[in-house]
Amino acid sequence: LLVFTTSYFITCLLVDDKFVNGIFYLLLSAFANVVLTMEILSLFSAISVVGVLILNVLFLILSVVIWCKKGKPVWKIPFENVKSFFRKYLVCINKDKYLAVLSFGFLVAVVTALFMSSFMPIMNLDAESYHALRSLFWIHNHNLNHFYIADIRNIVFPINSELVFAWVFMFIKRSAWVMYTAFAGFMLAMFGIYNILSLLKFSMRKKLWVILITCSLSSVIAQITSTETDMIIAGLILSAIYLFWYGLKSKRIIPIFMSSLAYALAAGTKTTALI
């Protein structure tokens, strides 16, 4: 609650008249907030429930103070735009019945992923070897310092996603909910694809085909309910591409800054993001 409330105030300060940009800002600032919190606390060997809560309260107070000084801008849902989107969507599925079938499959996949992420334990071998394992070491040691272990992947690989896992483990004390991180990356990727295609002036029908076919790939379905980081870096890099391109077209600096943040988070999540 503290993290997303802080992210909301940050989004209000940054967002322009394009509502969808706020979704990117909200998720990116929440991710960055967790990473920054864990990094700062690690300097003082203070990674703990109390430490995280205290720092998050300070971040929230700071964001509220700045928000008040900047005139209390509000980022809100433009319901007319939402209605317009669904009207266009209904027109598309009336013209193309295959889109209705794909949409139903997408809905089933999303509901299944949310159910599995809520109740299923971690069953991934990489998670047992290092993804989730090193998060537990950090919580136990109260810092991110190197520790003795046979599997070098715990020491040398980028850590951003595992910082979120550690954050979840500390408060929830169960493994299932860490998979929401990959699901958030999946949603960010879909928003990124949709908006990149919008910049390319593709029709609504073509955008839906691209997104729904991408969602139906077996690798995507498998990874939205896992601790693998591929969906996370997909979401971050597609966000970076969209925001950078939008910033250049609109001649605004904030989207370009947030694009750099997205790419920095991606590079700190998985080395292949650099490729």
Side-chain angles (χ1 to χ4, degrees):
L1 181 62
L2 288 169
V3 166
F4 279 98
T5 305
T6 301
S7 299
Y8 173 77
F9 286 120
I10 292 172
T11 300
C12 290
L13 293 168
L14 298 178
V15 76
D16 51 22
D17 53 353
K18 193 171 177 62
F19 168 78
V20 73
N21 288 358
I23 298 173
F24 291 99
Y25 297 169
L26 183 73
L27 293 174
L28 291 174
S29 56
F31 191 3
N33 188 339
V34 173
V35 171
L36 181 62
T37 297
M38 302 296 275
E39 295 276 5
I40 292 174
L41 291 174
S42 176
L43 296 174
F44 307 97
S45 294
I47 293 178
S48 63
V49 170
V50 174
V52 171
L53 286 173
I54 290 173
L55 203 53
N56 283 160
V57 168
L58 292 176
F59 284 157
L60 178 59
I61 292 171
L62 181 62
S63 65
V64 170
V65 169
I66 297 173
W67 178 73
C68 290
K69 287 189 175 182
K70 294 294 182 179
K72 300 180 181 179
V74 176
W75 175 60
K76 54 186 177 181
I77 299 174
F79 289 102
E80 284 302 318
N81 291 0
V82 175
K83 290 178 182 177
S84 175
F85 171 84
F86 281 107
R87 280 196 294 267
K88 291 177 183 177
Y89 171 75
L90 290 174
V91 169
C92 289
I93 63 173
N94 282 330
K95 288 183 177 179
D96 192 338
K97 302 302 180 185
Y98 289 113
L99 282 176
V101 176
L102 284 170
S103 297
F104 177 74
F106 172 78
L107 186 62
V108 170
V110 167
V111 171
T112 305
L114 289 173
F115 178 83
M116 292 179 68
S117 298
S118 300
F119 301 106
M120 292 291 288
I122 292 173
M123 295 182 291
N124 183 273
L125 290 176
D126 281 349
E128 295 174 1
S129 301
Y130 72 100
H131 276 312
L133 179 63
R134 57 180 172 174
S135 299
L136 300 176
F137 274 95
W138 296 334
I139 295 169
H140 180 265
N141 298 335
H142 304 295
N143 57 51
L144 307 177
N145 296 347
H146 287 181
F147 48 87
Y148 292 108
I149 194 165
D151 194 334
I152 195 173
R153 293 178 295 177
N154 286 274
I155 307 299
V156 300
F157 280 1
I159 65 172
N160 282 354
S161 59
E162 284 83 0
L163 292 178
V164 179
F165 297 167
W167 177 68
V168 174
F169 284 144
M170 274 196 300
F171 288 96
I172 307 300
K173 293 181 172 57
R174 59 190 300 238
S175 64
W177 287 22
V178 299
M179 291 183 283
Y180 279 123
T181 312
F183 185 81
F186 163 72
M187 295 306 297
L188 203 57
M190 296 306 105
F191 281 121
I193 291 173
Y194 185 89
N195 284 281
I196 289 170
L197 295 177
S198 295
L199 290 175
L200 289 167
K201 308 296 184 183
F202 275 69
S203 68
M204 179 75 164
R205 186 176 170 189
K206 290 179 179 178
K207 286 187 283 190
L208 289 173
W209 265 104
V210 171
I211 288 173
L212 293 172
I213 288 295
T214 303
C215 293
S216 70
L217 296 174
S218 58
S219 56
V220 174
I221 293 172
Q223 291 214 19
I224 57 177
T225 54
S226 75
T227 55
E228 294 296 334
T229 54
D230 300 297
M231 287 310 309
I232 300 170
I233 64 166
L236 292 170
I237 291 175
L238 285 165
S239 301
I241 293 170
Y242 163 68
L243 291 171
F244 183 74
W245 195 353
Y246 174 79
L248 293 179
K249 288 177 72 72
S250 63
K251 295 182 172 58
R252 292 174 174 171
I253 195 67
I254 295 294
I256 294 176
F257 170 80
M258 295 302 288
S259 170
S260 68
L261 174 63
Y263 198 75
L265 289 169
T269 299
K270 191 165 187 173
T271 312
T272 47
L274 299 172
I275 300 172

